[in-house]
Amino acid sequence: MSNLGENRKPAVKPDGVSRASTPAPSESVTESLPRGIRIAGAWSWRLLALVAIIVVAVLAIVELRLIVIPILIAILIASLVMPLQNLLRRWQVPRVLATIITLLVTIAVVVGLFYLAITQISAQSGEVKDRAVEGYQSLREWLKVSPLHLDDTQINEYLGQLWNIIKENNKAIWTGALSVGSTVGHVAAGALLTIFSLLFFLLDGPGIWRWVVRLMPRNARAAIDGAGRDGWRALANYSRTQMLVAAMDAVGIAAGAAILGVPMAIPIGVLVFLGAFIPFVGAILTGTIAVFLALVYNGPWQALGMLIIIVGIQQLEGHVFQPILMGNAVKLHPLAVVLVVTAGALVAGIPGALFAVPLAAVVNEMTRYIAGGRWRTPPAGDRSDGGDDGDDPAITDGADSESESREQGEDDAATVPSDGSATADASTEKTPGSDEPSER
C-alpha cells in the first residue's frame, strides 16, 4: 500500500498543469472587499476626478479673468435688458435696430449713474473740504474728552508716527499707484469687451447657444439644451430681482444720508446700488462709507444714526426682501448664498463674490433639470412657457428657426458617407424585433 501511495502521480489538468503545483483558486482582492467599500471606492475616485476638473476650470478662469469677467458681466446685463429688446420686437422693430436701441439705452443708464455721482462729488467738493477740516478739529477735541484722554502732544506724536509709516512705505505706495494705473487700462479694455459681447448676445444669442449645444454629443444635446433654458431663466430672474433689491437698498440708505445731512448722498446711493449686487455683504461694505463720512463731517451721533439706518435696511432686506423676492427667483437657502459668496470672494475676490450667487443659481437649476429627467419627456409648449421669449436663449423668430433647420440638415448630412455606403447600410437595416436584415 505504501508503494502505491508513493507511485501515485499527481492529477493533471486538461491544460497540462498539475493540481499539486497550483494553489486552490481564491477570490480576487476586489471581490474580497465588502460591497459597501467597493461602491464607496468607485464613487470616491469619480468624485476626485470631478473635483480636479472643477479646480482646473476655476484656475483657468482666474488666469483668464480679464476675458471671462467682461463676458460674464455682458451675460448678466443681457438677461436684464432682453425684455426691452423683446418689447421693441413686438412693436415690429427690426432685430438689428432693436438691438442697437437696447444697447444704447443700457449704456446711457450706466453712464448716467456715474455722471450723476461725479457731478455731485465735484459740486460738493468745496463744502466737503471745509467740513473735513471742521471734522478733523472736532475729532481732536473729542479725543481729548474721550476715555482715552489724549492731549495735543500725544495726538501730534501719533500723527507723526503715521507720517513716518507713510514715508517708509513710499515705494509700496508708488507701486500701488502704478498698479492702479494698470487696472484703469484693464477696466477700459474690459468695458469695450463687455459692450462688444453684449451686442452679439442681444443680436445673435440664440445662434450662439445653438452653436454651443452642437458641440456636445448628439445624445446629450436634448438634456443640455433643456438645462440651459432653465439655467437662463434662473439667471434672468436673479438679475431682475437683485436689481430691485439693490434699488431698495440704495434709495433707503441715500435717503437716510440726506435726512441726516451727510454729504454726497447721491454718490453714496449709486455706490450702494452697485455694491448690493453682492448679496448680504455688498450693501453693508458700501454703507460703511456713509458711516465714515457721517463721522468725519457730522460727528459721532450722526454716524451712529447712519449706522442704525444701514443695519435696519439690511434687516429688512434679510427678513423681507430676500425671502420673498430672492427665494422664489434663486431657490437657494440663505446659508448657501452666504457660503457661495464667501467662497467666491476667497477664490476670485470681488468678481468671485459678484458672480458666485448667479452661478450657483444656474448650476442648481441645470442640475435639478438633468437629475429630474425632464428632458426625456419635455412638456408641450416648453419653448414658450418660461415667460418672455427673451428669457430663453433658444427662442427665435422665423429666420432663426429656418437657420436652425438648415444647420440641423447640415449636421445630419455630415454623418452620411459620400461614397454611397449609406444606401447599402439602409438596405440591410434590421427591423425591430428581428435578427434578419430587411429590405427597404
Side-chain angles (χ1 to χ4, degrees):
M1 295 294 293
S2 59
N3 294 333
L4 291 174
E6 293 174 358
N7 296 330
R8 182 178 296 173
K9 296 181 178 180
V12 180
K13 290 183 179 181
D15 56 359
V17 181
S18 63
R19 295 179 180 175
S21 62
T22 58
S26 60
E27 56 184 353
S28 63
V29 177
T30 303
E31 294 175 350
S32 65
L33 295 174
R35 186 171 182 273
I37 297 297
R38 295 201 304 270
I39 294 175
W43 273 100
S44 297
W45 75 261
R46 288 173 172 84
L47 289 176
L48 288 175
L50 182 61
V51 169
I53 293 173
I54 294 175
V55 169
V56 171
V58 171
L59 292 177
I61 291 173
V62 171
E63 290 297 326
L64 300 175
R65 57 187 178 274
L66 297 180
I67 298 176
V68 175
I69 291 176
I71 293 176
L72 294 178
I73 293 176
I75 292 175
L76 282 176
I77 297 176
S79 65
L80 280 172
V81 303
M82 199 168 282
L84 175 60
Q85 185 190 33
N86 295 332
L87 179 63
L88 296 175
R89 293 283 290 153
R90 283 194 291 268
W91 290 348
Q92 305 302 319
V93 179
R95 173 180 290 273
V96 176
L97 182 58
T99 300
I100 294 175
I101 294 175
T102 304
L103 183 63
L104 293 178
V105 170
T106 303
I107 296 175
V109 170
V110 175
V111 173
L113 287 175
F114 283 101
Y115 176 77
L116 181 62
I118 292 173
T119 53
Q120 290 292 321
I121 292 175
S122 61
Q124 300 181 12
S125 59
E127 180 183 358
V128 168
K129 180 180 178 180
D130 296 337
R131 297 180 69 172
V133 174
E134 295 176 2
Y136 170 73
Q137 296 297 333
S138 300
L139 181 60
R140 290 179 65 101
E141 296 297 328
W142 180 80
L143 289 174
K144 295 178 183 179
V145 299
S146 68
L148 298 176
H149 296 292
L150 300 178
D151 53 18
D152 291 333
T153 303
Q154 292 175 322
I155 294 175
N156 292 331
E157 289 179 358
Y158 289 133
L159 291 177
Q161 293 176 5
L162 178 61
W163 179 249
N164 291 331
I165 293 174
I166 294 176
K167 290 192 297 183
E168 291 174 359
N169 295 273
N170 189 29
K171 183 178 180 180
I173 294 174
W174 278 107
T175 303
L178 293 176
S179 65
V180 169
S182 177
T183 302
V184 171
H186 292 161
V187 169
L192 293 177
L193 182 57
T194 299
I195 296 173
F196 188 76
S197 302
L198 178 60
L199 174 64
F200 281 97
F201 288 153
L202 294 175
L203 187 63
D204 194 27
I208 296 174
W209 175 245
R210 287 197 305 272
W211 175 77
V212 172
V213 173
R214 281 165 57 89
L215 295 176
M216 305 302 167
R218 183 180 295 274
N219 57 355
R221 291 178 185 176
I224 294 174
D225 185 38
R229 298 173 193 274
D230 272 21
W232 176 259
R233 282 190 282 266
L235 178 63
N237 292 334
Y238 166 81
S239 301
R240 296 165 194 170
T241 306
Q242 189 61 39
M243 185 178 66
L244 179 61
V245 173
M248 293 178 180
D249 289 344
V251 171
I253 293 177
I259 292 173
L260 293 176
V262 179
M264 298 185 291
I266 293 179
I268 290 173
V270 173
L271 189 61
V272 170
F273 176 78
L274 297 176
F277 279 90
I278 302 176
F280 298 110
V281 180
I284 296 178
L285 294 179
T286 53
T288 54
I289 298 177
V291 177
F292 176 76
L293 291 175
L295 176 63
V296 174
Y297 302 133
N298 301 91
W301 292 111
Q302 285 81 356
L304 179 61
M306 193 71 244
L307 179 62
I308 292 174
I309 290 175
I310 293 174
V311 173
I313 291 175
Q314 291 304 306
Q315 291 297 316
L316 187 63
E317 174 189 345
H319 294 86
V320 179
F321 299 155
Q322 291 285 350
I324 295 177
L325 300 177
M326 193 61 69
N328 296 327
V330 180
K331 299 179 182 178
L332 289 176
H333 193 275
L335 178 60
V337 174
V338 174
L339 292 178
V340 297
V341 168
T342 305
L346 291 176
V347 173
I350 295 178
L354 175 62
F355 297 113
V357 177
L359 180 61
V362 171
V363 171
N364 179 56
E365 283 299 317
M366 295 179 69
T367 304
R368 286 161 56 94
Y369 181 91
I370 295 177
R374 285 181 285 163
W375 56 274
R376 295 188 181 93
T377 56
D382 181 66
R383 294 201 174 198
S384 60
D385 59 357
D388 293 336
D389 293 346
D391 294 346
D392 197 330
I395 301 300
T396 61
D397 57 7
D400 292 328
S401 300
E402 294 175 2
S403 175
E404 182 177 3
S405 301
R406 183 169 60 256
E407 291 178 357
Q408 184 66 30
E410 294 173 357
D411 192 16
D412 295 339
T415 62
V416 179
S418 59
D419 57 355
S421 59
T423 306
D425 293 340
S427 63
T428 60
E429 183 181 357
K430 294 181 180 181
T431 59
S434 174
D435 293 336
E436 297 297 327
S438 62
E439 300 290 339
R440 282 189 178 177

